[in-house]
Structure formats: C-alpha cells, structure tokens
Amino acid sequence: MPAATRPEPEVPVLIVGGSLVGLSAALFLRSHGVDVLAVERHAGTAIRARSGHLQLRTLELLRSVGLEDVVRRKGEEQYDPNGGINNVESLAGREIANYFPDLNTGVAEFSPTVRLFIDQDKLEPILRARAEELGARLRYGSDCTGLVQDADGVTAELTDAGDGAQSTVRAQYVIAADGNRSPVRHRLGIGMHGHGTLSNSITIYFRSEIDLEPLLRDRNQGVHYVTNPLLRGFFRLNRSGNAGFLAVNLIGDTARPEIVAAYPDAPWANVAEGITEQRALELLRAAIGIPGVPVVIEDIATWQAVAEGADRYQDGRVFLAGDAAHVVPPNGGYGGNTGIQDAHNLAWKLALVLAGTAGPALLQTYDDERRAVGNLTVEQAYTRYVTRVAPYLSTQDVQPLVDDFSMEIGYCYNSPAVILGPGESSSVHEHPGASRGRPGSRAPHVVLDRAGSRLSTLDLFGKNFVLLAGSAGAAWCPAALAAGRQLGVELDAWQVGGDDLRDADDRFSSAYGISPAGAVLVRPDGFIGWRVIDAAGASPATLVQVLRRLLCHA
Ligand SMILES: Cc1cc2nc3c(=O)[nH]c(=O)nc-3n(C[C@H](O)[C@H](O)[C@H](O)COP(=O)(O)OP(=O)(O)OC[C@H]3O[C@@H](n4cnc5c(N)ncnc54)[C@H](O)[C@@H]3O)c2cc1C
C-alpha cells in the first residue's frame, strides 16, 4: 500500500527529468542563483552512451560554467580530440564519403573552444557534480506522476520509484526535460509536427577482442557511417579501439515499398523488431567488415529515429526543453546539444522573472526564440539523415543543407527580447562571419587582453547583461552602469580598447559592426540584445529604455 502523502516545501523551479537537459537546466539555473529541484525516475545518470558529439555552442556554454577543461579531458580519454566523420562500406572496407576529416578545422576563428566527442554516460556525472556543487537538489528514483497548474504556481505529484510513496511539490515554474515521450507534453496536450518516425533503430554496444583501430588506417576516428547492402547506421568507436557502439537505422520500415524493393534479400526491414543477439552479431560483423571477428555484445537498445518538433514550448508555467520539445535523428549530433542550449536560454529568463527584475512576458520569448531554432534543427537533422543514411527518401521536402557553423553558432533570435536597429531584419540563421553583431545573433568571439592574459569576449558573458563599448565609446559605460542601478539589473560595462581591456587583434569594432564610438548590449546568454553604431544618445535614459524593452517590462 502506498505511504501517506507528505507535504513538500515550495521550490521556484521544478525540473522533470534529470538526464542531459534536466541536469543542464539545474546547472544553469543554479549559476544564476535560482533554487531548483530536479526529479528523475531512474536511479542515477545515464548508464549507456547515446549523445557523444558536443557542438561548439555547447562547449562555449560549459566553458561559461567552468566545465570546459574537465569535459575536454574526459572527452580526450575516450576519443581523438580532432576526430572526423566519414562514411564507409565497413570499417575494413572502402571509404564512401568524408564529411569532416577533422572536426575542428576552421574553428579557432569563431570560437575560443572546440567541438568534441564525449559519451553521454561520461558527461552526465560531470554535469551532475557541478550542479550539486552549485547547490541544485537532484532527486533520483522519483517519478513525476501528476502536474496541475493554477494562477500562482504548479503542484506536482511525485511517486517514489522504490516504495511508491507519494508526495507533492509546489513550484512557480516547471521545466519538462522528460525526453522524447514527454509525459508532461502529453498531459498538456501539446502536439508534434514534422516528418514523424523515420526508422525503428537499434544501438549495439559491444567490446572487441581484437584492436579495431588498425582498420581505420589513416582515417581519423570519431563517427563512421556505415552504408552497405545489409545495413545503414553509424559507429562510434572509442580510442581504445576495442569498444564502442554501432547504431543501425535501416533496413528501415517494411511499410516502405521502396526499401523492400531496394533490399529484396534483407528480411529485417524493421531492424528493431524481434532483434536477437545473433542478428545483432551478424550486423556488427558486417559493419566491421571481418567475418567471424571476435566481438562481445554488451547490450542492445531499441529506439526510433524521429524528426518532429512540439507545436508549443510553453503552456502557462510549464516549459518544454530538450527531446520533450524536439526529437531529431542523431545525424549531425543535434538532439542533446539543442536541448542544452534550450536550458541555457530559459535559465536567465526564469532567474530575472523570479527576481522581479524582468516582466513575465520575457518568458514567452523562450518559445519565440527556441521553437524557431528547434524547427530549423529538426529540418537540418532530417536533411542529414536523408543524405547520410536514407537517400531513398523523397528529396521534395528536404531543406538544403545549412553549414555546421551557421547551425551551431549562427542561429539567430527574433523576439521582444531583441531590439533590431533601423533597417535591420532578422534571419533564422546566418554564418557567424556574416552576422557581425546584429541584434539577435550570438556575440562574436574576439580575442582580448586583460592585464597580460588572453581571453575571449565570450568569457565576459554568462551571468549579467554586458555592455561592450568601442575604443572611443567610453561614455556608454557609466551610462549603462547607471541604468542598471536604476532598474536593479546586474550589468557589467567594458570599454574594449581601453586601459583595462585591450583589443588584441584590433578586431572588435568590425566584428561587432559598430564604429569605435558605438556599443552593444549583450544579454546574459551571450546574444546581442541591442546595438548602437556610434555615440549618439549615450545617456542613462537611453539605456534604461533599452533595458526595459529587453526585459519585457509592460
Ligand atoms: C544513438 C544515438 C546517438 C546520439 N548522438 C547524439 C550526439 O552525438 N549529440 C547529441 O547532441 N545528441 C545525440 N543523441 C540524442 C541525445 O541522446 C538526446 O537528444 C538527449 O539524450 C536528450 O536529452 P533529454 O534530457 O532531453 O532527454 P532524455 O535523455 O531522454 O532524458 C529524459 C529523462 O527524463 C526522465 N523522465 C521522463 N519522465 C519522467 C517523469 N515523469 N518523472 C521523472 N523523470 C522522468 C527519463 O527517465 C529520462 O532520464 C543521440 C541519440 C541516440 C539514440
């Protein structure tokens, strides 16, 4: 019999789901000082690798909360730091395509950090430790079994996975980071749109008794797509050369006559259905390309490759983030990355609204900003799925490929929390070399020098609003600080090219699209909120007006 209901104290933010995105949300919220409780029905963090590819923007965000070094070290234990992505007939066989010979080619121009691979089961404990260090409360083995909203808050019912004891918790806001099946999304009746289920897939986790690395020859390892008449999927083989996983997407869906026609000898068109260890072994050996290669299957997971986004990311006081908001096939490595970036976008907004510094309407910009990115991501992951895995699919509803820099650090926001300048218009994405500080884009990386130490402009962002003025724009700094004080907004102001912060390569004005007398106001998430090209109007009154708009005051 379940134990009696226990009352729970209030918490400003409850997070449902304590995996990649729930942990990130806890971490980012705590870095803004918000008290948070995350509940996760599993007993602990992920036990198997799924997500592995961390994109530039994600590393930038982890850098902002002090995790870049530890994540890079852990990633390098597992994978070549500059591994690439290619497509082979089998590991031992012919290379069909090489998408990225080196993951980090050209990165240094745009970012202070790197792309890398780290398995989800290695990343989550790092996120968890940092979130707890910052004071997040994480409750494992706790299932959120009910959620009721009213005008003042949300009451959640929690059921202990061990003894079935029920309790309630009262929160002002809830983040549903409860994965692709998102019980919270279902409860709210939020629909999904997109391409639907693409394939019933499996992941085969394995160990090899021989070193497979020599099969890679001079090809840098990272991700190896496998395309042969038996299967289509991809390997992530870690640098030990004798462990990793093979994800198999196809041989697709028996309902698709074109697949059946294309592979008349393949009886397992739906690879997940009735999968056995023997079948998995056959597929794995075919993907490695050595008959009888001594490998041990450690686990087999079944999952669906889906490309869909939620119709809304907000319902009253509840926000969807991560796979709850968008589900994409793994191609391009978007799922976890996009979710972590959702959490980052939401955290500063919740913090400022809870503190009373911003108007509640700021929270609606989460849907404006992240749903547009989510929809773009669903389409671009689908494009990569079709090109790399399932070229038999119709190309009619496939978006042209958007390059990876534009996807990772070039997506732009258009919402009331962005003030475009006269004649400016926004786009959903733009190459980071082209946006040049336009409001709504990510603030560009420029190398600075502070007391002889190198840093990036990005190292100035993460917590507060930041005004950056050009070398002749000193007047903007006291004006911004005065405006911040007047509104109770935490704000930093720097003159780039002044005594305290040198513009190491003399790039700042041009990278940010201002004259030396101009300034930009960067939001706590590192996106440009407002920009002024020159010194006209450098007064606290101007900045008060700008901040009030960005903070969505009525
Ligand atoms: C083979 C494969 C490879 C991938 N590779 C990459 C990659 O390289 N890069 C990348 O970015 N992404 C990748 N992904 C996708 C990535 O794994 C997911 O996008 C990511 O895990 C989503 O994180 P999430 O926290 O939103 O959801 P999940 O990881 O699904 O976590 C949701 C959590 O919520 C919990 N939960 C659900 N309901 C409740 C409830 N009612 N109460 C309490 N807890 C609840 C669940 O137990 C679960 O732990 C890959 C996926 C696969 C399958």
Side-chain angles (χ1 to χ4, degrees), residues 485-518:
R485 276 194 302 275
Q486 188 177 328
L487 294 175
V489 175
E490 302 277 349
L491 188 147
D492 305 322
W494 295 95
Q495 184 189 4
V496 179
D499 290 342
D500 295 335
L501 206 54
R502 293 200 24 250
D503 182 3
D505 303 319
D506 202 16
R507 277 193 62 230
F508 174 71
S509 293
S510 104
Y512 278 72
I514 56 174
S515 78

PDB file of all heavy atoms in Angstrom, residues 485-518:
ATOM      1  N   ARG A 485      21.798  50.241 -12.337  1.00  0.00           N
ATOM      2  CA  ARG A 485      21.499  50.542 -10.916  1.00  0.00           C
ATOM      3  C   ARG A 485      20.053  51.000 -10.773  1.00  0.00           C
ATOM      4  O   ARG A 485      19.339  50.578  -9.878  1.00  0.00           O
ATOM      5  CB  ARG A 485      22.449  51.626 -10.407  1.00  0.00           C
ATOM      6  CG  ARG A 485      23.796  51.076  -9.937  1.00  0.00           C
ATOM      7  CD  ARG A 485      24.562  52.120  -9.132  1.00  0.00           C
ATOM      8  NE  ARG A 485      24.799  53.343  -9.877  1.00  0.00           N
ATOM      9  CZ  ARG A 485      25.829  53.538 -10.708  1.00  0.00           C
ATOM     10  NH1 ARG A 485      26.714  52.574 -10.888  1.00  0.00           N
ATOM     11  NH2 ARG A 485      25.974  54.676 -11.342  1.00  0.00           N
ATOM     12  N   GLN A 486      19.629  51.850 -11.702  1.00  0.00           N
ATOM     13  CA  GLN A 486      18.264  52.398 -11.602  1.00  0.00           C
ATOM     14  C   GLN A 486      17.204  51.291 -11.669  1.00  0.00           C
ATOM     15  O   GLN A 486      16.193  51.336 -10.986  1.00  0.00           O
ATOM     16  CB  GLN A 486      18.057  53.405 -12.744  1.00  0.00           C
ATOM     17  CG  GLN A 486      16.760  54.173 -12.620  1.00  0.00           C
ATOM     18  CD  GLN A 486      16.622  55.222 -13.717  1.00  0.00           C
ATOM     19  OE1 GLN A 486      17.619  55.794 -14.176  1.00  0.00           O
ATOM     20  NE2 GLN A 486      15.408  55.460 -14.161  1.00  0.00           N
ATOM     21  N   LEU A 487      17.465  50.277 -12.509  1.00  0.00           N
ATOM     22  CA  LEU A 487      16.464  49.216 -12.704  1.00  0.00           C
ATOM     23  C   LEU A 487      16.723  47.989 -11.828  1.00  0.00           C
ATOM     24  O   LEU A 487      15.980  47.009 -11.892  1.00  0.00           O
ATOM     25  CB  LEU A 487      16.441  48.779 -14.177  1.00  0.00           C
ATOM     26  CG  LEU A 487      15.963  49.838 -15.174  1.00  0.00           C
ATOM     27  CD1 LEU A 487      16.110  49.325 -16.600  1.00  0.00           C
ATOM     28  CD2 LEU A 487      14.508  50.213 -14.911  1.00  0.00           C
ATOM     29  N   GLY A 488      17.807  48.017 -11.071  1.00  0.00           N
ATOM     30  CA  GLY A 488      18.156  46.845 -10.258  1.00  0.00           C
ATOM     31  C   GLY A 488      18.612  45.675 -11.111  1.00  0.00           C
ATOM     32  O   GLY A 488      18.441  44.510 -10.748  1.00  0.00           O
ATOM     33  N   VAL A 489      19.215  45.984 -12.253  1.00  0.00           N
ATOM     34  CA  VAL A 489      19.694  44.929 -13.166  1.00  0.00           C
ATOM     35  C   VAL A 489      21.206  44.797 -13.008  1.00  0.00           C
ATOM     36  O   VAL A 489      21.928  45.800 -13.095  1.00  0.00           O
ATOM     37  CB  VAL A 489      19.378  45.312 -14.638  1.00  0.00           C
ATOM     38  CG1 VAL A 489      19.961  44.293 -15.600  1.00  0.00           C
ATOM     39  CG2 VAL A 489      17.888  45.452 -14.835  1.00  0.00           C
ATOM     40  N   GLU A 490      21.676  43.568 -12.782  1.00  0.00           N
ATOM     41  CA  GLU A 490      23.122  43.337 -12.705  1.00  0.00           C
ATOM     42  C   GLU A 490      23.702  43.547 -14.093  1.00  0.00           C
ATOM     43  O   GLU A 490      23.262  42.909 -15.059  1.00  0.00           O
ATOM     44  CB  GLU A 490      23.416  41.894 -12.271  1.00  0.00           C
ATOM     45  CG  GLU A 490      22.809  41.500 -10.950  1.00  0.00           C
ATOM     46  CD  GLU A 490      23.665  41.942  -9.767  1.00  0.00           C
ATOM     47  OE1 GLU A 490      24.811  42.360  -9.995  1.00  0.00           O
ATOM     48  OE2 GLU A 490      23.152  41.890  -8.640  1.00  0.00           O
ATOM     49  N   LEU A 491      24.667  44.431 -14.198  1.00  0.00           N
ATOM     50  CA  LEU A 491      25.186  44.779 -15.526  1.00  0.00           C
ATOM     51  C   LEU A 491      26.680  45.080 -15.416  1.00  0.00           C
ATOM     52  O   LEU A 491      27.113  45.724 -14.465  1.00  0.00           O
ATOM     53  CB  LEU A 491      24.416  46.008 -16.026  1.00  0.00           C
ATOM     54  CG  LEU A 491      24.631  46.460 -17.455  1.00  0.00           C
ATOM     55  CD1 LEU A 491      23.351  47.063 -18.024  1.00  0.00           C
ATOM     56  CD2 LEU A 491      25.762  47.476 -17.566  1.00  0.00           C
ATOM     57  N   ASP A 492      27.440  44.573 -16.362  1.00  0.00           N
ATOM     58  CA  ASP A 492      28.870  44.902 -16.441  1.00  0.00           C
ATOM     59  C   ASP A 492      29.081  45.777 -17.669  1.00  0.00           C
ATOM     60  O   ASP A 492      28.350  45.637 -18.656  1.00  0.00           O
ATOM     61  CB  ASP A 492      29.718  43.633 -16.609  1.00  0.00           C
ATOM     62  CG  ASP A 492      29.441  42.613 -15.520  1.00  0.00           C
ATOM     63  OD1 ASP A 492      29.237  43.025 -14.365  1.00  0.00           O
ATOM     64  OD2 ASP A 492      29.405  41.407 -15.839  1.00  0.00           O
ATOM     65  N   ALA A 493      30.053  46.648 -17.604  1.00  0.00           N
ATOM     66  CA  ALA A 493      30.329  47.505 -18.760  1.00  0.00           C
ATOM     67  C   ALA A 493      31.835  47.552 -18.996  1.00  0.00           C
ATOM     68  O   ALA A 493      32.614  47.715 -18.054  1.00  0.00           O
ATOM     69  CB  ALA A 493      29.779  48.905 -18.501  1.00  0.00           C
ATOM     70  N   TRP A 494      32.218  47.359 -20.249  1.00  0.00           N
ATOM     71  CA  TRP A 494      33.637  47.357 -20.616  1.00  0.00           C
ATOM     72  C   TRP A 494      33.849  48.248 -21.832  1.00  0.00           C
ATOM     73  O   TRP A 494      33.071  48.185 -22.786  1.00  0.00           O
ATOM     74  CB  TRP A 494      34.096  45.948 -20.997  1.00  0.00           C
ATOM     75  CG  TRP A 494      34.061  44.956 -19.894  1.00  0.00           C
ATOM     76  CD1 TRP A 494      33.060  44.083 -19.615  1.00  0.00           C
ATOM     77  CD2 TRP A 494      35.084  44.726 -18.917  1.00  0.00           C
ATOM     78  NE1 TRP A 494      33.380  43.310 -18.533  1.00  0.00           N
ATOM     79  CE2 TRP A 494      34.624  43.676 -18.079  1.00  0.00           C
ATOM     80  CE3 TRP A 494      36.340  45.285 -18.668  1.00  0.00           C
ATOM     81  CZ2 TRP A 494      35.376  43.188 -17.024  1.00  0.00           C
ATOM     82  CZ3 TRP A 494      37.084  44.792 -17.617  1.00  0.00           C
ATOM     83  CH2 TRP A 494      36.608  43.754 -16.799  1.00  0.00           C
ATOM     84  N   GLN A 495      34.920  48.996 -21.781  1.00  0.00           N
ATOM     85  CA  GLN A 495      35.358  49.695 -22.987  1.00  0.00           C
ATOM     86  C   GLN A 495      36.437  48.819 -23.622  1.00  0.00           C
ATOM     87  O   GLN A 495      37.500  48.604 -23.020  1.00  0.00           O
ATOM     88  CB  GLN A 495      35.930  51.061 -22.627  1.00  0.00           C
ATOM     89  CG  GLN A 495      36.312  51.871 -23.844  1.00  0.00           C
ATOM     90  CD  GLN A 495      37.087  53.125 -23.460  1.00  0.00           C
ATOM     91  OE1 GLN A 495      37.402  53.351 -22.289  1.00  0.00           O
ATOM     92  NE2 GLN A 495      37.389  53.940 -24.448  1.00  0.00           N
ATOM     93  N   VAL A 496      36.148  48.282 -24.779  1.00  0.00           N
ATOM     94  CA  VAL A 496      37.116  47.392 -25.424  1.00  0.00           C
ATOM     95  C   VAL A 496      38.103  48.270 -26.194  1.00  0.00           C
ATOM     96  O   VAL A 496      37.715  49.060 -27.060  1.00  0.00           O
ATOM     97  CB  VAL A 496      36.416  46.399 -26.380  1.00  0.00           C
ATOM     98  CG1 VAL A 496      37.444  45.503 -27.054  1.00  0.00           C
ATOM     99  CG2 VAL A 496      35.391  45.577 -25.611  1.00  0.00           C
ATOM    100  N   GLY A 497      39.382  48.107 -25.842  1.00  0.00           N
ATOM    101  CA  GLY A 497      40.376  49.008 -26.417  1.00  0.00           C
ATOM    102  C   GLY A 497      40.734  50.105 -25.425  1.00  0.00           C
ATOM    103  O   GLY A 497      41.524  50.999 -25.724  1.00  0.00           O
ATOM    104  N   GLY A 498      40.172  50.037 -24.222  1.00  0.00           N
ATOM    105  CA  GLY A 498      40.546  50.970 -23.158  1.00  0.00           C
ATOM    106  C   GLY A 498      41.699  50.378 -22.347  1.00  0.00           C
ATOM    107  O   GLY A 498      42.302  49.367 -22.731  1.00  0.00           O
ATOM    108  N   ASP A 499      41.957  51.002 -21.182  1.00  0.00           N
ATOM    109  CA  ASP A 499      43.121  50.571 -20.389  1.00  0.00           C
ATOM    110  C   ASP A 499      42.949  49.162 -19.815  1.00  0.00           C
ATOM    111  O   ASP A 499      43.904  48.407 -19.698  1.00  0.00           O
ATOM    112  CB  ASP A 499      43.340  51.547 -19.210  1.00  0.00           C
ATOM    113  CG  ASP A 499      43.824  52.893 -19.728  1.00  0.00           C
ATOM    114  OD1 ASP A 499      44.297  52.935 -20.887  1.00  0.00           O
ATOM    115  OD2 ASP A 499      43.684  53.885 -18.988  1.00  0.00           O
ATOM    116  N   ASP A 500      41.701  48.817 -19.450  1.00  0.00           N
ATOM    117  CA  ASP A 500      41.505  47.551 -18.743  1.00  0.00           C
ATOM    118  C   ASP A 500      41.361  46.355 -19.670  1.00  0.00           C
ATOM    119  O   ASP A 500      41.599  45.217 -19.274  1.00  0.00           O
ATOM    120  CB  ASP A 500      40.244  47.631 -17.866  1.00  0.00           C
ATOM    121  CG  ASP A 500      40.424  48.673 -16.768  1.00  0.00           C
ATOM    122  OD1 ASP A 500      41.584  48.930 -16.408  1.00  0.00           O
ATOM    123  OD2 ASP A 500      39.406  49.236 -16.324  1.00  0.00           O
ATOM    124  N   LEU A 501      40.906  46.618 -20.873  1.00  0.00           N
ATOM    125  CA  LEU A 501      40.613  45.512 -21.787  1.00  0.00           C
ATOM    126  C   LEU A 501      41.117  45.884 -23.176  1.00  0.00           C
ATOM    127  O   LEU A 501      40.524  46.726 -23.854  1.00  0.00           O
ATOM    128  CB  LEU A 501      39.097  45.316 -21.808  1.00  0.00           C
ATOM    129  CG  LEU A 501      38.553  43.940 -22.155  1.00  0.00           C
ATOM    130  CD1 LEU A 501      39.155  42.869 -21.257  1.00  0.00           C
ATOM    131  CD2 LEU A 501      37.042  43.942 -22.013  1.00  0.00           C
ATOM    132  N   ARG A 502      42.214  45.270 -23.577  1.00  0.00           N
ATOM    133  CA  ARG A 502      42.791  45.618 -24.878  1.00  0.00           C
ATOM    134  C   ARG A 502      42.210  44.728 -25.966  1.00  0.00           C
ATOM    135  O   ARG A 502      41.890  43.564 -25.737  1.00  0.00           O
ATOM    136  CB  ARG A 502      44.313  45.500 -24.821  1.00  0.00           C
ATOM    137  CG  ARG A 502      44.913  46.567 -23.893  1.00  0.00           C
ATOM    138  CD  ARG A 502      46.383  46.854 -24.126  1.00  0.00           C
ATOM    139  NE  ARG A 502      46.819  46.523 -25.464  1.00  0.00           N
ATOM    140  CZ  ARG A 502      47.636  45.511 -25.751  1.00  0.00           C
ATOM    141  NH1 ARG A 502      48.092  44.733 -24.791  1.00  0.00           N
ATOM    142  NH2 ARG A 502      47.995  45.282 -27.000  1.00  0.00           N
ATOM    143  N   ASP A 503      42.075  45.325 -27.135  1.00  0.00           N
ATOM    144  CA  ASP A 503      41.546  44.616 -28.312  1.00  0.00           C
ATOM    145  C   ASP A 503      42.751  44.010 -29.020  1.00  0.00           C
ATOM    146  O   ASP A 503      43.379  44.647 -29.853  1.00  0.00           O
ATOM    147  CB  ASP A 503      40.827  45.674 -29.172  1.00  0.00           C
ATOM    148  CG  ASP A 503      40.185  45.097 -30.415  1.00  0.00           C
ATOM    149  OD1 ASP A 503      40.232  43.865 -30.591  1.00  0.00           O
ATOM    150  OD2 ASP A 503      39.633  45.890 -31.192  1.00  0.00           O
ATOM    151  N   ALA A 504      43.086  42.761 -28.643  1.00  0.00           N
ATOM    152  CA  ALA A 504      44.389  42.189 -29.003  1.00  0.00           C
ATOM    153  C   ALA A 504      44.691  42.277 -30.496  1.00  0.00           C
ATOM    154  O   ALA A 504      45.816  42.582 -30.886  1.00  0.00           O
ATOM    155  CB  ALA A 504      44.457  40.746 -28.522  1.00  0.00           C
ATOM    156  N   ASP A 505      43.710  42.002 -31.330  1.00  0.00           N
ATOM    157  CA  ASP A 505      43.971  41.976 -32.783  1.00  0.00           C
ATOM    158  C   ASP A 505      43.273  43.123 -33.503  1.00  0.00           C
ATOM    159  O   ASP A 505      43.111  43.070 -34.728  1.00  0.00           O
ATOM    160  CB  ASP A 505      43.500  40.633 -33.371  1.00  0.00           C
ATOM    161  CG  ASP A 505      44.160  39.462 -32.682  1.00  0.00           C
ATOM    162  OD1 ASP A 505      45.369  39.560 -32.402  1.00  0.00           O
ATOM    163  OD2 ASP A 505      43.459  38.468 -32.383  1.00  0.00           O
ATOM    164  N   ASP A 506      42.819  44.111 -32.759  1.00  0.00           N
ATOM    165  CA  ASP A 506      42.146  45.274 -33.334  1.00  0.00           C
ATOM    166  C   ASP A 506      40.962  44.849 -34.218  1.00  0.00           C
ATOM    167  O   ASP A 506      40.784  45.335 -35.328  1.00  0.00           O
ATOM    168  CB  ASP A 506      43.169  46.093 -34.156  1.00  0.00           C
ATOM    169  CG  ASP A 506      42.688  47.528 -34.317  1.00  0.00           C
ATOM    170  OD1 ASP A 506      41.788  47.926 -33.566  1.00  0.00           O
ATOM    171  OD2 ASP A 506      43.197  48.220 -35.215  1.00  0.00           O
ATOM    172  N   ARG A 507      40.162  43.956 -33.699  1.00  0.00           N
ATOM    173  CA  ARG A 507      39.050  43.402 -34.495  1.00  0.00           C
ATOM    174  C   ARG A 507      37.671  43.781 -33.945  1.00  0.00           C
ATOM    175  O   ARG A 507      36.656  43.524 -34.585  1.00  0.00           O
ATOM    176  CB  ARG A 507      39.121  41.853 -34.454  1.00  0.00           C
ATOM    177  CG  ARG A 507      40.055  41.216 -35.428  1.00  0.00           C
ATOM    178  CD  ARG A 507      39.775  39.707 -35.487  1.00  0.00           C
ATOM    179  NE  ARG A 507      38.418  39.417 -35.951  1.00  0.00           N
ATOM    180  CZ  ARG A 507      37.571  38.585 -35.332  1.00  0.00           C
ATOM    181  NH1 ARG A 507      37.922  37.961 -34.236  1.00  0.00           N
ATOM    182  NH2 ARG A 507      36.371  38.372 -35.828  1.00  0.00           N
ATOM    183  N   PHE A 508      37.633  44.307 -32.742  1.00  0.00           N
ATOM    184  CA  PHE A 508      36.356  44.395 -32.035  1.00  0.00           C
ATOM    185  C   PHE A 508      35.291  45.171 -32.825  1.00  0.00           C
ATOM    186  O   PHE A 508      34.184  44.662 -33.067  1.00  0.00           O
ATOM    187  CB  PHE A 508      36.554  44.998 -30.639  1.00  0.00           C
ATOM    188  CG  PHE A 508      35.255  45.237 -29.933  1.00  0.00           C
ATOM    189  CD1 PHE A 508      34.500  44.177 -29.461  1.00  0.00           C
ATOM    190  CD2 PHE A 508      34.757  46.523 -29.771  1.00  0.00           C
ATOM    191  CE1 PHE A 508      33.281  44.385 -28.827  1.00  0.00           C
ATOM    192  CE2 PHE A 508      33.533  46.738 -29.141  1.00  0.00           C
ATOM    193  CZ  PHE A 508      32.797  45.669 -28.668  1.00  0.00           C
ATOM    194  N   SER A 509      35.621  46.409 -33.229  1.00  0.00           N
ATOM    195  CA  SER A 509      34.589  47.241 -33.875  1.00  0.00           C
ATOM    196  C   SER A 509      34.055  46.561 -35.119  1.00  0.00           C
ATOM    197  O   SER A 509      32.838  46.505 -35.341  1.00  0.00           O
ATOM    198  CB  SER A 509      35.158  48.603 -34.267  1.00  0.00           C
ATOM    199  OG  SER A 509      35.463  49.313 -33.133  1.00  0.00           O
ATOM    200  N   SER A 510      34.964  46.053 -35.926  1.00  0.00           N
ATOM    201  CA  SER A 510      34.468  45.462 -37.169  1.00  0.00           C
ATOM    202  C   SER A 510      33.713  44.160 -36.899  1.00  0.00           C
ATOM    203  O   SER A 510      32.677  43.887 -37.513  1.00  0.00           O
ATOM    204  CB  SER A 510      35.615  45.306 -38.162  1.00  0.00           C
ATOM    205  OG  SER A 510      36.024  44.007 -38.243  1.00  0.00           O
ATOM    206  N   ALA A 511      34.179  43.351 -35.936  1.00  0.00           N
ATOM    207  CA  ALA A 511      33.469  42.093 -35.649  1.00  0.00           C
ATOM    208  C   ALA A 511      32.070  42.363 -35.107  1.00  0.00           C
ATOM    209  O   ALA A 511      31.148  41.575 -35.313  1.00  0.00           O
ATOM    210  CB  ALA A 511      34.252  41.258 -34.641  1.00  0.00           C
ATOM    211  N   TYR A 512      31.905  43.486 -34.400  1.00  0.00           N
ATOM    212  CA  TYR A 512      30.607  43.793 -33.797  1.00  0.00           C
ATOM    213  C   TYR A 512      29.817  44.814 -34.611  1.00  0.00           C
ATOM    214  O   TYR A 512      28.723  45.237 -34.189  1.00  0.00           O
ATOM    215  CB  TYR A 512      30.790  44.265 -32.340  1.00  0.00           C
ATOM    216  CG  TYR A 512      30.947  43.088 -31.383  1.00  0.00           C
ATOM    217  CD1 TYR A 512      32.118  42.331 -31.361  1.00  0.00           C
ATOM    218  CD2 TYR A 512      29.916  42.712 -30.535  1.00  0.00           C
ATOM    219  CE1 TYR A 512      32.261  41.252 -30.509  1.00  0.00           C
ATOM    220  CE2 TYR A 512      30.051  41.622 -29.673  1.00  0.00           C
ATOM    221  CZ  TYR A 512      31.224  40.896 -29.662  1.00  0.00           C
ATOM    222  OH  TYR A 512      31.353  39.809 -28.826  1.00  0.00           O
ATOM    223  N   GLY A 513      30.349  45.210 -35.744  1.00  0.00           N
ATOM    224  CA  GLY A 513      29.591  46.061 -36.662  1.00  0.00           C
ATOM    225  C   GLY A 513      29.294  47.453 -36.117  1.00  0.00           C
ATOM    226  O   GLY A 513      28.223  48.001 -36.386  1.00  0.00           O
ATOM    227  N   ILE A 514      30.221  48.007 -35.327  1.00  0.00           N
ATOM    228  CA  ILE A 514      30.000  49.361 -34.787  1.00  0.00           C
ATOM    229  C   ILE A 514      31.199  50.243 -35.131  1.00  0.00           C
ATOM    230  O   ILE A 514      32.261  49.741 -35.498  1.00  0.00           O
ATOM    231  CB  ILE A 514      29.816  49.328 -33.243  1.00  0.00           C
ATOM    232  CG1 ILE A 514      31.021  48.644 -32.571  1.00  0.00           C
ATOM    233  CG2 ILE A 514      28.514  48.663 -32.860  1.00  0.00           C
ATOM    234  CD1 ILE A 514      30.980  48.696 -31.048  1.00  0.00           C
ATOM    235  N   SER A 515      31.014  51.552 -34.974  1.00  0.00           N
ATOM    236  CA  SER A 515      32.169  52.444 -35.075  1.00  0.00           C
ATOM    237  C   SER A 515      32.892  52.386 -33.728  1.00  0.00           C
ATOM    238  O   SER A 515      32.322  51.900 -32.741  1.00  0.00           O
ATOM    239  CB  SER A 515      31.699  53.873 -35.361  1.00  0.00           C
ATOM    240  OG  SER A 515      31.233  54.446 -34.159  1.00  0.00           O
ATOM    241  N   PRO A 516      34.111  52.927 -33.626  1.00  0.00           N
ATOM    242  CA  PRO A 516      34.794  52.900 -32.315  1.00  0.00           C
ATOM    243  C   PRO A 516      33.992  53.602 -31.225  1.00  0.00           C
ATOM    244  O   PRO A 516      34.180  53.334 -30.043  1.00  0.00           O
ATOM    245  CB  PRO A 516      36.117  53.621 -32.599  1.00  0.00           C
ATOM    246  CG  PRO A 516      36.354  53.399 -34.062  1.00  0.00           C
ATOM    247  CD  PRO A 516      34.988  53.414 -34.710  1.00  0.00           C
ATOM    248  N   ALA A 517      33.048  54.454 -31.598  1.00  0.00           N
ATOM    249  CA  ALA A 517      32.261  55.170 -30.582  1.00  0.00           C
ATOM    250  C   ALA A 517      30.956  54.444 -30.243  1.00  0.00           C
ATOM    251  O   ALA A 517      30.189  54.900 -29.399  1.00  0.00           O
ATOM    252  CB  ALA A 517      31.935  56.575 -31.084  1.00  0.00           C
ATOM    253  N   GLY A 518      30.707  53.316 -30.875  1.00  0.00           N
ATOM    254  CA  GLY A 518      29.442  52.611 -30.663  1.00  0.00           C
ATOM    255  C   GLY A 518      29.508  51.631 -29.494  1.00  0.00           C
ATOM    256  O   GLY A 518      30.501  51.554 -28.763  1.00  0.00           O
TER     257      GLY A 518
END
